[in-house]
Amino acid sequence: MNVLGIETSCDETAAAVYGSDGLQSNVIASQSIHYQYGGVVPELASREHIRLILPIIKQALAEANFKLHEIDGIAVTYGPGLVGSLLVGLNVAKGLAYSRRIPFIGVNHIEGHVFSVCLNRPDLNFPFIALVISGGHTQLVLVKSLGQYEILGRTLDDAAGEAFDKVSKMLDLGYPGGPIIDRVSAQGDEKFAQFPRSLLKEDGYAFSFSGLKTAVLYFLKRLTEEDRKKYVADIAASFQAALVEVLVEKTVAASRNHKIQNIVLAGGVARNSYLRKLIQARAQRDGIHVHIPDPILCTDNAAMIAWVGYHKFQNGEQSDYNLAPVPGLKL
Ligand code: KG4
Ligand code: ZN
């Protein structure tokens, strides 16, 4: 069976082909139109998806060396995300499925992130602990099987990626903030400022990043314009260390307390090089295995959607034509 995956939940227009022989193509167009506004403009995102989706699907088929009639099913993100953006992908999926008389299935975007690691590690066994960290979500999940999830904790306020993006804006570094802070921090001293490690000492797996964001804001207010520029890498590195330390400690604690030896990172923030290094080092001490997808599979992509769709089709699942986008869809 070969599945075409489609992802249009936010500002990436993406298509991929996944089948019995693994991943055949993975095409992603990141919409750069939003950079000048310092964040995603929903109406512009929908229009870009309309403009890009068919060429991207054609490219994904061409790179996989497939014709549309060789596709047996379509998997598409139906939530969470921006409603206008989701509508574009969902309607294209329905149209293609109807014209070819093949099944389609709506996939939860967060579920896609959780399993993106399986594209690199097909032999990964259940159960595992997944830390899902993206622009809109931060949660720790105990994954028992495809479809069986126990949410251990989530953020009480900002998502991890959102905190990166907002602090980058405060530091005048630009958008999207995560990759910039990651790069700039490499030149900085993470011990320069002691920012709060929110909820680190509390039991449980809830996260909170808005206090950290405010602490950075007040720290900056006390500096002169000149010092802000001079110490920008140190401040970025100190912020990053505070946020990442909490992510790592809570995730390792979840793994230890539930006696689950496998940890999976998922979502755009899992690209962060400081996090990738710290969690590997920390887990090694406790004999825990950490699995992190290739960077291109951490941020939004359609390969992860195709993977989930393929396995749900194999389980006999499919969607029907009145499936509507669900912007606030939960795992
Ligand atoms: O998963 P994703 O592509 O989209 C959502 O589903 O939200 O995640 C995007 C988020 C953005 O907030 C971006 O700043 C962050 O992931 N991000 C990073 C890095 N690369 C992307 N955060 C920290 N370090 C990075 N290297
Ligand atoms: Zn995402």
Side-chain angles (χ1 to χ4, degrees), residues 7 9-10 109-110 113 134-137 267-268 298-301 304:
E7 156 65 43
S9 66
C10 190
H109 179 82
I110 306 173
H113 276 305
S134 68
H137 302 275
C298 290
T299 28
D300 289 350
N301 66 84
M304 64 187 194

Side-chain angles (χ1 to χ4, degrees), residues 101-163:
R101 302 288 191 271
I102 53 176
F104 86 96
I105 187 159
V107 172
N108 182 321
H109 179 82
I110 306 173
E111 203 173 11
H113 276 305
V114 166
F115 290 100
S116 55
V117 74
C118 294
L119 290 155
N120 296 128
R121 287 289 320 273
D123 54 334
L124 183 66
N125 287 324
F126 296 111
F128 58 81
I129 300 282
L131 173 68
V132 184
I133 33 178
S134 68
H137 302 275
T138 296
Q139 46 190 254
L140 260 174
V141 187
L142 199 171
V143 181
K144 297 172 182 168
S145 66
L146 177 64
Q148 259 196 306
Y149 313 110
E150 185 183 332
I151 309 294
L152 301 177
R154 49 167 62 96
T155 180
L156 304 175
D157 38 60
D158 291 352
E162 193 180 352

Side-chain angles (χ1 to χ4, degrees), residues 22-153:
L23 185 62
Q24 304 298 314
S25 66
N26 183 25
V27 180
I28 305 163
S30 292
Q31 304 175 358
S32 53
I33 191 165
H34 308 286
Y35 292 4
Q36 60 187 300
Y37 302 101
V40 179
V41 183
E43 181 56 27
L44 292 180
S46 316
R47 291 180 197 200
E48 284 293 279
H49 286 309
I50 290 171
R51 193 171 70 76
L52 292 166
I53 189 67
L54 291 179
I56 292 294
I57 289 174
K58 278 189 186 149
Q59 193 182 333
L61 290 171
E63 286 185 15
N65 228 343
F66 271 66
K67 299 272 181 269
L68 186 57
H69 68 78
E70 292 169 292
I71 295 293
D72 308 299
I74 299 181
V76 59
T77 305
Y78 77 107
L82 302 166
V83 68
S85 294
L86 291 166
L87 263 174
V88 177
L90 190 54
N91 284 335
V92 167
K94 285 181 185 175
L96 287 176
Y98 187 74
S99 70
R100 298 286 332 140
R101 302 288 191 271
I102 53 176
F104 86 96
I105 187 159
V107 172
N108 182 321
H109 179 82
I110 306 173
E111 203 173 11
H113 276 305
V114 166
F115 290 100
S116 55
V117 74
C118 294
L119 290 155
N120 296 128
R121 287 289 320 273
D123 54 334
L124 183 66
N125 287 324
F126 296 111
F128 58 81
I129 300 282
L131 173 68
V132 184
I133 33 178
S134 68
H137 302 275
T138 296
Q139 46 190 254
L140 260 174
V141 187
L142 199 171
V143 181
K144 297 172 182 168
S145 66
L146 177 64
Q148 259 196 306
Y149 313 110
E150 185 183 332
I151 309 294
L152 301 177

Side-chain angles (χ1 to χ4, degrees), residues 283-301:
Q284 211 169 19
R285 246 175 41 197
D286 287 19
I288 297 166
H289 307 288
V290 182
H291 311 280
I292 314 176
D294 286 347
I296 194 68
L297 296 170
C298 290
T299 28
D300 289 350
N301 66 84

Side-chain angles (χ1 to χ4, degrees), residues 81-316:
L82 302 166
V83 68
S85 294
L86 291 166
L87 263 174
V88 177
L90 190 54
N91 284 335
V92 167
K94 285 181 185 175
L96 287 176
Y98 187 74
S99 70
R100 298 286 332 140
R101 302 288 191 271
I102 53 176
F104 86 96
I105 187 159
V107 172
N108 182 321
H109 179 82
I110 306 173
E111 203 173 11
H113 276 305
V114 166
F115 290 100
S116 55
V117 74
C118 294
L119 290 155
N120 296 128
R121 287 289 320 273
D123 54 334
L124 183 66
N125 287 324
F126 296 111
F128 58 81
I129 300 282
L131 173 68
V132 184
I133 33 178
S134 68
H137 302 275
T138 296
Q139 46 190 254
L140 260 174
V141 187
L142 199 171
V143 181
K144 297 172 182 168
S145 66
L146 177 64
Q148 259 196 306
Y149 313 110
E150 185 183 332
I151 309 294
L152 301 177
R154 49 167 62 96
T155 180
L156 304 175
D157 38 60
D158 291 352
E162 193 180 352
F164 269 99
D165 294 335
K166 287 178 176 167
V167 168
S168 176
K169 219 178 218 177
M170 286 178 207
L171 295 171
D172 285 329
L173 289 172
Y175 175 87
I180 306 174
I181 291 195
D182 190 349
R183 200 176 56 240
V184 168
S185 297
Q187 265 80 51
D189 172 11
E190 74 222 35
K191 300 203 171 62
F192 178 77
Q194 263 300 312
F195 292 130
R197 272 67 173 157
S198 308
L199 305 181
L200 185 61
K201 300 267 178 276
E202 313 276 317
D203 283 343
Y205 307 105
F207 299 95
S208 167
F209 300 116
S210 76
L212 169 59
K213 191 183 63 189
T214 312
V216 176
L217 183 70
Y218 281 106
F219 189 87
L220 288 172
K221 277 192 175 164
R222 290 198 303 269
L223 296 183
T224 62
E225 193 60 38
E226 201 175 83
D227 279 353
R228 277 185 186 212
K229 287 212 174 78
K230 188 168 157 195
Y231 298 116
V232 69
D234 300 318
I235 299 165
S238 302
F239 155 76
Q240 178 178 265
L243 188 146
V244 165
E245 241 178 79
V246 178
L247 291 178
V248 169
E249 289 306 321
K250 294 255 173 196
T251 308
V252 170
S255 157
R256 221 176 25 229
N257 295 341
H258 288 86
K259 301 192 170 41
I260 293 176
Q261 300 302 311
N262 286 307
I263 288 175
V264 160
L265 299 192
V269 182
R271 286 181 85 126
N272 186 267
S273 45
Y274 186 80
L275 167 65
R276 292 168 90 99
K277 240 186 285 163
L278 192 70
I279 198 160
Q280 290 289 10
R282 184 68 188 76
Q284 211 169 19
R285 246 175 41 197
D286 287 19
I288 297 166
H289 307 288
V290 182
H291 311 280
I292 314 176
D294 286 347
I296 194 68
L297 296 170
C298 290
T299 28
D300 289 350
N301 66 84
M304 64 187 194
I305 304 302
W307 189 95
V308 171
Y310 174 92
H311 289 88
K312 292 205 166 184
F313 281 135
Q314 300 286 320
N315 292 345

